[in-house]
Amino acid sequence: PAPVGPLEALSLPPDERYAAAGAQDCTLVLWPLHAGGSRDGDGGDNGGGGVGPASEAEAAVEGGAALFFGGYERKVGPVAWDSSGRFCASAGGRSAVVWDIGPPGAPPPVRRNGRATLLLGHRSSVEWLGFAPAEPAVAATIVAAAAGCRVLLYSLDQREGGEGTAHASSLRPVAECTLPDGRRGEELVLAWGRDGYLFGACGGSLFAWRAG
């Protein structure tokens, strides 16, 4: 594939169709991982009858051309996938974008604006992104973005446009989670739990918010 500069982050979806990496040159890099076969194929001889790690890496290098997605304000750090492997969220500075990679079995995404959904409302650099687990308690596809002491929640089900359109769609947050004044300025660590709960730890205290 084309040479890539230093990377900031690396993330794989559950189905491992692609590897997404945030780069210091303000781009998101997407590598198809199974261009030369599938995990259940008969290629390669690793003693197990399937495609082994070495042959998978060769397939990615020989057959999977890297795709580059730009337009970020700064180097791309946080990268996250939803549980279906269709949506990839990434951020560089205050620029946070969710890319629609397509459902399983779809061809590689066309690099045009109709694939992008901009997450609006950030006043400082986005430091964390994460999708709520898909389960009955969470009816929509929810992604959370944290910038400083603010955590914004977005519902991808409210986006407009999409593949085939000329312009990127945009989303405003459906909810905002903030830390108490006494906790602002301290490091915030986040993780999604079950039943739509987003947990945050800051300064020795644990907080929880519920995504409806």
Side-chain angles (χ1 to χ4, degrees):
V4 177
L7 302 178
E8 290 288 313
L10 180 67
S11 180
L12 274 70
D15 59 11
E16 297 184 6
R17 286 187 299 153
Y18 298 96
Q24 291 186 5
D25 63 358
C26 304
T27 60
L28 175 73
V29 188
L30 199 69
W31 286 284
L33 293 184
H34 305 299
S38 66
R39 296 184 69 88
D40 298 324
D42 56 2
D45 182 11
N46 61 359
V51 179
S55 58
E56 282 189 294
E58 292 168 0
V61 171
E62 295 175 1
L67 302 176
F68 297 85
F69 300 83
Y72 296 89
E73 183 182 63
R74 297 179 183 174
K75 61 184 179 182
V76 179
V79 180
W81 292 86
D82 79 316
S83 58
S84 73
R86 175 171 182 170
F87 298 108
C88 181
S90 53
R94 293 174 297 174
S95 304
V97 185
V98 175
W99 296 96
D100 185 351
I101 305 303
V110 177
R111 289 173 289 172
R112 57 187 177 191
N113 289 337
R115 287 286 190 175
T117 299
L118 309 180
L119 305 181
L120 306 178
H122 302 292
R123 302 170 188 165
S124 57
S125 295
V126 176
E127 301 164 345
W128 181 87
L129 289 163
F131 286 89
E135 53 184 347
V138 183
T141 302
I142 302 293
V143 60
C149 62
R150 299 172 69 234
V151 182
L152 303 181
L153 303 183
Y154 301 84
S155 172
L156 292 188
D157 294 8
Q158 296 183 6
R159 66 196 176 108
E160 297 180 355
E163 175 64 7
T165 63
H167 303 286
S169 59
S170 60
L171 277 178
R172 296 194 177 278
V174 296
E176 178 178 343
C177 311
T178 57
L179 296 174
D181 289 338
R183 299 294 183 184
R184 298 188 180 189
E186 300 181 11
E187 182 178 2
L188 176 64
V189 181
L190 295 159
W192 280 103
R194 297 178 57 185
D195 299 327
Y197 280 97
L198 178 63
F199 293 91
C202 181
S205 298
L206 182 66
F207 303 90
W209 302 279
R210 176 76 182 274

